[in-house]
Amino acid sequence: MIVAESKGLRGYEDPANPVWVPAVGTVLDVLCGPMSNWIDEDALNEGRRCHAMTANALRSGELTGWTDVPATLRVFPLCDWLKREGFTPVEVETTHYSKAYGYAGTLDAILKRDDGLWIPDWKFAESLDMNRYTVQLTAYGKLIGKVKGLLLVQVTRAGEVKPKVIHQNPANWAAFLGALSVLRWRLAH
């Protein structure tokens, strides 16, 4: 899957079958409004830098050579927490597609631990929109199928790692599917 826009909306296309499907975040914008409505651009950019550094650290196993001090103060504690909790990355920043439901998403990671596979989502933020993020993780869970759990991992500017286990909730899945239907209707009209 490659990132592609349609009518200004983020989504994905499969090069072998060029049909556009919305990204999970695009569906969430229908349900909860765009994140730019409540997170300023500087915070969004800092979060992007932290995500990139986390992905690089998980892929390489290296926690050295970082020059972005604010991001390092968040990423290092996250990587340390993952190690202490016994998590190892199986996949990092990979896109998954639901042919059955017609959406795709890029997961921060799929982690393995003795008790099974976990889907985390890193949030480098001081506060969280739990409604948005529990629906997001539910949609990611449906992309992967059988996993031990879903983790919303908040990392504050002070480097405090605050993991929250998110339980699959049928109401969250129904909300996501409803927003996906609304998005499709909007695109068709």
Side-chain angles (χ1 to χ4, degrees), residues 14-163:
D14 181 346
N17 179 22
V19 174
W20 183 86
V21 296
V24 169
T26 299
V27 177
L28 293 173
D29 288 350
V30 171
L31 186 63
C32 306
M35 289 188 343
S36 60
N37 288 351
W38 50 277
I39 300 177
D40 68 60
E41 194 62 32
D42 290 339
L44 285 171
N45 287 331
E46 185 176 341
R48 289 180 189 113
R49 290 193 318 274
C50 290
H51 271 87
M53 288 178 71
T54 302
N56 289 337
L58 292 178
R59 283 186 187 114
S60 70
E62 298 282 323
L63 296 174
T64 60
W66 297 344
T67 57
D68 185 337
V69 174
T72 301
L73 293 174
R74 295 172 123 176
V75 174
F76 186 83
L78 172 60
C79 291
D80 185 55
W81 178 83
L82 290 168
K83 186 176 180 179
R84 280 194 326 270
E85 292 296 317
F87 288 112
T88 56
V90 175
E91 295 182 14
V92 178
E93 290 288 331
T94 53
T95 302
H96 292 266
Y97 167 60
S98 171
K99 192 172 189 175
Y101 294 102
Y103 73 97
T106 299
L107 285 62
D108 291 342
I110 297 176
L111 303 174
K112 184 177 182 181
R113 192 166 68 174
D114 289 344
D115 60 352
L117 295 178
W118 290 76
I119 299 173
D121 197 61
W122 330 125
K123 298 300 178 191
F124 297 94
E126 301 306 298
S127 62
L128 300 176
D129 178 345
M130 291 302 292
N131 290 328
R132 181 184 182 96
Y133 299 141
T134 56
V135 172
Q136 177 183 10
L137 276 162
T138 297
Y140 286 168
K142 293 290 186 179
L143 286 171
I144 301 304
K146 193 168 186 170
V147 294
K148 172 65 178 173
L150 307 171
L151 277 174
L152 181 59
V153 185
Q154 177 186 9
V155 185
T156 67
R157 283 196 173 100
E160 185 179 1
V161 179
K162 299 178 176 182

